[in-house]
Amino acid sequence: MMMSRKLLLLLLLLTATAAMAFGQNCIRRCGNIDVPYPFGIEPGCYRDGFDLSCNVTESKLYAGNIEIIGMDVLNGQARVYKRISWDCHDPIAPSKESIAMDLTGSPFTFSDTRNKFTAIGCDTIALFVGSTDQSYSTGCVSICNDNTTFSNGSCFGAGCCQTSILPGLQFFNITFSSTGHKDISWDNPCSFAFLVDGSWYSFRTTDLNETDFYDRNDGRVPMVLDWSIGDVGCEEARQNSTSYACRSNNSRCLNATNGIGYLCNCSSGYQGNPYVEGGCEDIDECTDRNTYPCHGSCTNLPGSYLCACPKGMRGNPHEECFPSSERSMVAIKIPNISNQVELAQFINEVFILSQTNHRNVVKLFGCCLQTQVPLLVFEFISGGTLSDHLLAGEGISPLSFEDRLRIATEVAKALSYLHTEASITIFHRDIKSSNILLDERKTAKLADFGASRSVSVEQTSVATAVQGTFGYLDPEYHQTGRLTEKSDVYSFGVILAELLTGQLAIPRQENNVVRYLVMDFLVALKQKSLFKVIDPLVLNEGSQEAVKRIARLAETCLKLSGNDRPTMREVEDELEAIRSKKAKARMPLR
Ligand SMILES: *[C@@H]1O[C@H](CO)[C@@H](O)[C@H](O)[C@H]1NC(C)=O
Ligand SMILES: *[C@@H]1O[C@H](CO)[C@@H](O)[C@H](O)[C@H]1NC(C)=O
Ligand SMILES: *[C@@H]1O[C@H](CO)[C@@H](O)[C@H](O)[C@H]1NC(C)=O
Ligand SMILES: *[C@@H]1O[C@H](CO)[C@@H](O)[C@H](O)[C@H]1NC(C)=O
Ligand SMILES: *[C@@H]1O[C@H](CO)[C@@H](O)[C@H](O)[C@H]1NC(C)=O
Ligand SMILES: *[C@@H]1O[C@H](CO)[C@@H](O)[C@H](O)[C@H]1NC(C)=O
Ligand SMILES: *[C@@H]1O[C@H](CO)[C@@H](O)[C@H](O)[C@H]1NC(C)=O
Ligand SMILES: *[C@@H]1O[C@H](CO)[C@@H](O)[C@H](O)[C@H]1NC(C)=O
Ligand SMILES: *[C@@H]1O[C@H](CO)[C@@H](O)[C@H](O)[C@H]1NC(C)=O
Ligand SMILES: *[C@@H]1O[C@H](CO)[C@@H](O)[C@H](O)[C@H]1NC(C)=O
């Protein structure tokens, strides 16, 4: 006796120490059951209404008088023990016990998804009265006779019956009535009925033997209770930051499935207790290669991880990396997301690119979003940007006229595709030469969709915060904030002017005067001195006819009013016509 007391004391001390280490000086374990917040035992350790008690002599946890045997904080469920209702036909002293349970006023309801109302017996009508005013009840019938065949695991009315209950119930009273089919060849005078964890109970024919079942289970069975926070949904709950229960930064809110209140969970890539500040902690995926396979080098990131084939290898790093003599299929963009706007732009880019598939639009291979440092994995375009090539700095030879005309056509095709053919209509909004990438063959790939807008097909224009790059920005859009496909047409006109003049459109200072390429270009056209501003290389390689046609095309693209500008499809057609030296300019040059 002394020994066991000492042992118990020691155990209690150990439990208490472990609890202190958890942080808030609250007991977080009772016996071998966790007591996670919002639940708690001592005042100050639980959310209002989530108080439990621990009987240290028994090492048992209780909510009121309900014994709790497990708590699942992420699914909002608790496993509890509940006594079995019974009814025994004893000709001398018939005896029975109806078991009722009332959760009114608590955060608990009987889980309709996890429990089954179950009865065992051979002359059994079991009733489940689900409300105090008896307005809801259900039940099931179990009969046996000479010819009944019982089978283990089969609970369909032969020795055993089951039914489901409504969601959201907080009261039951289980009672019996008789079928009058009592079979005497079975030694089974008793009926049993209970609400039980459906995955726990499976009928055994031996359950019909007298009181075997009842005795084996100490007269009780496990049942699952749902719990949730409050009685309003997430949106409403968030309004009151004092009472809002999802405390951890990396947590999210879920409406409770039974429609009453809400639950919190950790955001994907995080684990822990969402109800506690700082409770959701980053999962180190790199230490668990079974769940998060990575055959390359693994880097843990907040809420995510990066798995990449090592240098000199390629392949899908989640499956296999193999040596590569070629240059690698992939570029990674790690945006510097220091504010919400940048994050929104980034998400936008992922969305837009996931909707497109065009040889002149950069391909998105993958991304990981559920993270603080999101990444985009792109097709790797090795040749630099169009602006690099126009500046033709070190190691870059200037683009030939042929190349310039082809690149213009390719960009026109990409834009025409985005405006009319992609699964959604997309306005790029930030067309500029530094957003046009060139591969080894100098094929153009449109990139950087951070500022892009997708619009439904019926919409011809959308009002938006003006975004774009000065020098390329449509002046009409700049003034009105009304975004149309014609804004991209304007920016494309700027690209044409750049290709013809070999100059970038970004305003530059010359002898204390700010010069705008577009203005210089349009003035030269008007004054019929176009060739003064054209790149000598272009004049050398291109025919006067072609250069003039491109210049006129640029001019219409740069019209002040969007209505006067051609569509990208018309631009594309005219460029194709120029390339094939066809005279046709079906395009109504407005
Ligand atoms: C704890 O359980 C024991 C044994 O069932 C009981 O005698 C005692 O009263 C309980 N303690 C409390 C505080 O309920
Ligand atoms: C909460 O997240 C965990 C882990 O991702 C998941 O197992 C659990 O089902 C989620 N709970 C709910 C209610 O969605
Ligand atoms: C059992 O089956 C036999 C023959 O199939 C039939 O005569 C008898 O009435 C049945 N007994 C019951 C209780 O249904
Ligand atoms: C059902 O399983 C129990 C053991 O769990 C066994 O004793 C019994 O014979 C089985 N009944 C049938 C009909 O197979
Ligand atoms: C449960 O039902 C039984 C039988 O009808 C009744 O005697 C008992 O009072 C009921 N219990 C509650 C709590 O309603
Ligand atoms: C019922 O249980 C008793 C005692 O556990 C056992 O002796 C008896 O054989 C069982 N009967 C059947 C039909 O399983
Ligand atoms: C959550 O539930 C509230 C009502 O309780 C409802 O208005 C809201 O739309 C629900 N939210 C979601 C995301 O289902
Ligand atoms: C927010 O919740 C707190 C705590 O439950 C409560 O005292 C307060 O009145 C609520 N505020 C509003 C505006 O509902
Ligand atoms: C949660 O986020 C806020 C704002 O970003 C920050 O100030 C706070 O330190 C974070 N808390 C924890 C526990 O990380
Ligand atoms: C990210 O942006 C912030 C503010 O815009 C800046 O201070 C910081 O240096 C940037 N970080 C990197 C790695 O560019």
Side-chain angles (χ1 to χ4, degrees):
M1 197 60 200
M2 278 310 279
M3 272 303 278
S4 72
R5 277 189 98 93
K6 263 187 187 160
L7 193 64
L8 187 66
L9 195 66
L10 185 66
L11 279 173
L12 282 175
L13 278 172
L14 282 175
T15 327
T17 320
M20 303 276 278
F22 183 68
Q24 301 171 334
N25 292 351
C26 293
I27 295 177
R28 289 290 164 211
R29 239 176 127 72
C30 173
N32 55 8
I33 302 159
D34 285 326
V35 185
Y37 194 84
F39 293 93
I41 292 164
E42 312 107 302
C45 292
Y46 49 83
R47 187 186 172 86
D48 247 16
F50 289 78
D51 51 312
L52 305 177
S53 60
C54 182
N55 185 324
V56 287
T57 346
E58 303 175 305
S59 288
K60 284 181 181 172
L61 183 66
Y62 292 93
N65 58 6
I66 305 163
E67 185 186 346
I68 296 190
I69 52 176
M71 192 61 84
D72 179 348
V73 87
L74 293 184
N75 286 300
Q77 287 177 332
R79 262 166 78 87
V80 303
Y81 273 138
K82 188 59 192 171
R83 296 188 55 73
I84 297 168
S85 301
W86 53 273
D87 180 7
C88 291
H89 296 258
D90 182 328
I92 300 155
S95 56
K96 58 165 91 181
E97 186 181 13
S98 298
I99 299 291
M101 191 165 178
D102 194 348
L103 301 174
T104 319
S106 82
F108 298 105
T109 61
F110 306 116
S111 175
D112 60 304
T113 53
R114 297 280 307 273
N115 295 314
K116 284 270 185 292
F117 177 57
T118 305
I120 306 168
C122 278
D123 170 28
T124 307
I125 299 177
L127 295 171
F128 178 99
V129 177
S131 54
T132 40
D133 63 358
Q134 313 209 329
S135 62
Y136 168 74
S137 55
T138 185
C140 73
V141 179
S142 172
I143 303 169
C144 325
N145 60 38
D146 281 343
N147 301 346
T148 308
T149 51
F150 305 99
S151 43
N152 281 338
S154 163
C155 189
F156 298 106
C160 176
C161 66
Q162 271 188 334
T163 186
S164 52
I165 58 162
L166 280 184
L169 297 178
Q170 288 196 303
F171 172 88
F172 71 64
N173 188 8
I174 295 174
T175 61
F176 296 92
S177 121
S178 173
T179 64
H181 282 89
K182 180 96 186 82
D183 185 278
I184 35 127
S185 73
W186 274 82
D187 197 7
N188 50 6
C190 295
S191 295
F192 304 103
F194 40 88
L195 188 66
V196 67
D197 179 350
S199 63
W200 176 86
Y201 181 69
S202 173
F203 175 64
R204 299 279 133 212
T205 54
T206 46
D207 291 348
L208 292 169
N209 185 358
E210 296 191 23
T211 58
D212 264 16
F213 173 77
Y214 187 92
D215 297 340
R216 198 170 59 245
N217 292 294
D218 278 338
R220 53 166 172 59
V221 290
M223 174 200 299
V224 180
L225 302 182
D226 290 335
W227 53 265
S228 59
I229 310 285
D231 52 10
V232 298
C234 290
E235 287 82 354
E236 206 175 317
R238 264 193 210 100
Q239 309 290 312
N240 189 341
S241 58
T242 326
S243 59
Y244 185 51
C246 306
R247 287 279 154 200
S248 176
N249 275 359
N250 299 296
S251 68
R252 59 203 170 90
C253 182
L254 301 135
N255 272 0
T257 46
N258 67 13
I260 307 159
Y262 63 98
L263 288 174
C264 307
N265 209 341
C266 287
S267 312
S268 134
Y270 291 83
Q271 63 189 0
N273 188 336
Y275 298 94
V276 177
E277 236 158 86
C280 293
E281 292 172 342
D282 181 36
I283 297 173
D284 186 353
E285 291 88 351
C286 295
T287 58
D288 183 1
R289 298 280 170 107
N290 286 331
T291 318
Y292 308 96
C294 178
H295 295 263
S297 60
C298 187
T299 315
N300 183 43
L301 299 170
S304 179
Y305 71 111
L306 176 63
C307 173
C309 288
K311 249 204 173 103
M313 309 275 276
R314 62 194 183 96
N316 177 346
H318 298 284
E319 282 162 13
E320 192 191 0
C321 293
F322 46 87
S324 155
S325 44
E326 297 164 38
R327 246 161 125 176
S328 156
M329 298 161 23
V330 171
I332 294 177
K333 176 174 177 174
I334 307 183
N336 178 6
I337 293 181
S338 49
N339 60 46
Q340 284 300 312
V341 175
E342 285 166 16
L343 180 64
Q345 284 191 357
F346 178 81
I347 291 170
N348 194 44
E349 178 156 16
V350 175
F351 175 74
I352 299 275
L353 285 172
S354 68
Q355 307 285 314
T356 59
N357 176 23
H358 191 272
R359 67 184 291 268
N360 298 118
V361 174
V362 71
K363 275 190 188 51
L364 177 69
F365 285 147
C367 78
C368 45
L369 252 190
Q370 352 95 339
T371 111
Q372 279 178 347
V373 185
L375 306 167
L376 286 187
V377 182
F378 285 110
E379 171 181 25
F380 181 72
I381 312 291
S382 58
T385 69
L386 177 59
S387 62
D388 296 339
H389 282 264
L390 283 172
L391 291 173
E394 224 174 294
I396 301 182
S397 54
L399 290 169
S400 70
F401 176 71
E402 276 296 296
D403 281 340
R404 295 187 198 199
L405 185 50
R406 182 182 41 74
I407 288 166
T409 313
E410 285 166 349
V411 176
K413 276 187 204 297
L415 282 173
S416 163
Y417 163 82
L418 292 175
H419 288 176
T420 55
E421 285 168 51
S423 52
I424 49 168
T425 298
I426 296 161
F427 303 156
H428 187 288
R429 281 215 290 188
D430 202 12
I431 305 287
K432 55 182 171 184
S433 45
S434 59
N435 278 343
I436 295 164
L437 306 179
L438 300 182
D439 69 8
E440 308 86 359
R441 295 187 185 141
K442 303 206 176 80
T443 302
K445 309 262 183 186
L446 198 52
D448 205 340
F449 286 74
S452 303
R453 280 295 295 260
S454 62
V455 293
S456 67
V457 181
E458 307 82 56
Q459 259 177 318
T460 52
S461 72
V462 283
T464 143
V466 172
Q467 243 184 321
T469 302
F470 203 64
Y472 297 86
L473 190 60
D474 170 11
E476 186 179 57
Y477 167 48
H478 185 77
Q479 260 178 21
T480 63
R482 292 208 74 75
L483 177 69
T484 72
E485 54 163 325
K486 297 297 181 66
S487 304
D488 284 348
V489 176
Y490 181 92
S491 306
F492 182 78
V494 179
I495 300 276
L496 284 181
E498 288 184 324
L499 287 168
L500 285 177
T501 60
Q503 308 253 359
L504 291 188
I506 300 158
R508 62 184 195 286
Q509 200 146 15
E510 241 177 60
N511 309 325
N512 286 333
V513 183
V514 181
R515 304 211 63 106
Y516 297 93
L517 173 72
V518 168
M519 210 138 32
D520 290 352
F521 177 79
L522 290 176
V523 168
L525 256 177
K526 200 156 254 154
Q527 297 178 342
K528 306 218 182 310
S529 58
L530 175 68
F531 293 146
K532 281 190 191 152
V533 295
I534 299 292
D535 187 342
L537 180 147
V538 168
L539 282 179
N540 249 346
E541 295 180 5
S543 71
Q544 281 205 12
E545 162 70 9
V547 172
K548 276 188 189 158
R549 276 177 77 175
I550 300 170
R552 275 200 303 272
L553 181 61
E555 190 184 19
T556 55
C557 290
L558 293 170
K559 291 277 189 203
L560 273 182
S561 161
N563 287 332
D564 296 340
R565 298 173 205 152
T567 64
M568 273 326 293
R569 170 52 59 82
E570 289 167 337
V571 171
E572 181 193 343
D573 287 348
E574 171 67 0
L575 284 168
E576 288 284 20
I578 296 171
R579 283 183 79 192
S580 57
K581 303 194 177 62
K582 280 192 197 126
K584 154 204 111 144
R586 205 191 42 179
M587 178 185 70
L589 286 176
R590 288 163 238 223

